Amino acid sequence: MPHPVIAKGNVAVITGGASGIGLAAATACARAGMKVCIADVDESRLAEAATRLSLIAGAANVMTSVTDVSRTESVTELERAVGAHFGGTDLLMNNAGIQPGSTMFGEPDHWHHIIGVNMWGIINGARIFAPNMIARGKAGLIINTGSKQGITTPPGDPAYNVSKAGVKAFTEALQHELRNTRDCHITAHLLIPGFVFTALTAKGRTEKPDSAWTPEQTVDFMMARLEAGDFYILCPDNDVPRALDEKRMLWAAGDIVENRPPLSRWHPDYADAFARFVKGE
């Protein structure tokens, strides 16, 4: 049985919904009989996605919105439009994200754009949608798409890491706030994908690497873990088992506890120690 919110007649709003994980989630919701609104900045992809979803759910149950999640006024208009069209929101998936690459001393506008979409997009979505979701008095879900890079923060893409670390911290705070809000039946969840083959990760490749999951596999896993009640939805992939992810995350926390250099996993002085840690020695 799916999570009770993922049910016929309920309304799902998914940002970054025109492709990748967002479209896979929208498809799963449509197949469950939900009404679906997909929001994205890419108008042509939105139209294509809406056509696909309409074949599943019927055109009357599919809505699109050209939305820039980094702009408060754009997300405010999205929430208003969904309320006017479908009557409210039961499932909000703040999924829009970008990863164009970044360097520590790169252009500040580039940093602003990455953090604006990846982190402020999620903050905007939750802060703008949650009050009316709570006021409806119904059960609901807010799912925020994070990243393992927001936890282990590997070198090489600092703006992305900062944005996704912020998503983790914000979603934890959001769930704490929701569970301490009287008569609130909304729960928050942090989706932590593994290596998923999407336009974001393709980097010029046209065929899925064997190590990557498809967006559909990721959403299937997410749905199962929502049903189980997980807050942290930590996805494996075909290359990295969960046990290795856990070791990497524990090691990252150990940098603070053991007072090691930051990002010590990539420090030559700690390479052997990390290898032994992974092996459980």
Side-chain angles (χ1 to χ4, degrees):
M1 290 291 292
H3 190 284
V5 169
I6 302 165
K8 185 176 182 178
N10 280 351
V11 177
V13 179
I14 301 167
T15 68
S19 62
I21 293 173
L23 180 54
T27 302
C29 289
R31 285 179 176 151
M34 298 184 76
K35 301 173 184 177
V36 178
C37 173
I38 50 173
D40 209 292
V41 293
D42 192 323
E43 193 167 1
S44 62
R45 278 189 173 178
L46 272 175
E48 293 172 7
T51 298
R52 290 173 55 181
L53 293 171
S54 295
L55 294 174
I56 300 168
N61 294 317
V62 177
M63 174 184 172
T64 65
S65 173
V66 178
T67 301
D68 179 353
V69 296
S70 70
R71 296 174 56 241
T72 302
E73 58 271 28
S74 189
V75 180
T76 299
E77 173 55 25
L78 171 65
E79 196 275 339
R80 185 208 64 77
V82 172
H85 192 74
F86 285 143
T89 300
D90 301 288
L91 183 157
L92 171 67
M93 186 172 181
N94 291 309
N95 173 74
I98 57 173
Q99 192 177 10
S102 64
T103 59
M104 182 60 68
F105 304 111
E107 289 295 323
D109 286 350
H110 192 59
W111 275 69
H112 282 299
H113 182 50
I114 293 167
I115 292 173
V117 174
N118 291 356
M119 187 168 74
W120 270 105
I122 282 174
I123 295 171
N124 286 336
R127 283 174 49 83
I128 291 166
F129 274 79
N132 283 338
M133 291 176 70
I134 294 168
R136 298 176 78 206
K138 297 177 60 181
L141 296 170
I142 298 176
I143 305 162
N144 295 335
T145 302
S147 171
K148 293 174 185 179
Q149 287 185 223
I151 302 171
T152 60
T153 60
D157 198 351
Y160 183 81
N161 290 354
V162 167
S163 70
K164 290 300 187 177
V167 170
K168 173 183 175 291
F170 175 78
T171 310
E172 290 167 338
L174 174 63
Q175 173 57 8
H176 178 77
E177 185 77 14
L178 293 172
R179 73 185 177 214
N180 285 284
T181 298
R182 184 171 180 168
D183 298 325
C184 175
H185 306 288
I186 312 300
T187 59
H189 305 265
L190 180 66
L191 175 63
I192 312 168
F195 178 23
V196 186
F197 188 60
T198 66
L200 192 73
T201 62
K203 302 185 187 304
R205 291 172 291 201
T206 57
E207 293 188 7
K208 184 184 79 66
D210 290 340
S211 57
W213 268 16
T214 65
E216 291 75 19
Q217 284 176 293
T218 304
V219 169
D220 286 347
F221 184 87
M222 179 186 79
M223 293 297 188
R225 299 324 303 168
L226 285 171
E227 181 187 353
D230 289 5
F231 171 80
Y232 299 102
I233 303 174
L234 178 60
C235 303
D237 53 47
N238 295 333
D239 194 38
V240 180
R242 182 184 173 103
L244 179 54
D245 277 328
E246 291 173 354
K247 290 285 189 179
R248 289 171 174 172
M249 292 174 184
L250 288 169
W251 183 271
D255 283 349
I256 301 170
V257 176
E258 302 295 334
N259 200 26
R260 297 189 294 252
L263 304 184
S264 67
R265 180 154 69 92
W266 293 273
H267 192 298
D269 292 351
Y270 291 86
D272 290 342
F274 176 69
R276 292 194 300 271
F277 178 76
V278 168
K279 293 177 182 178
E281 296 176 357

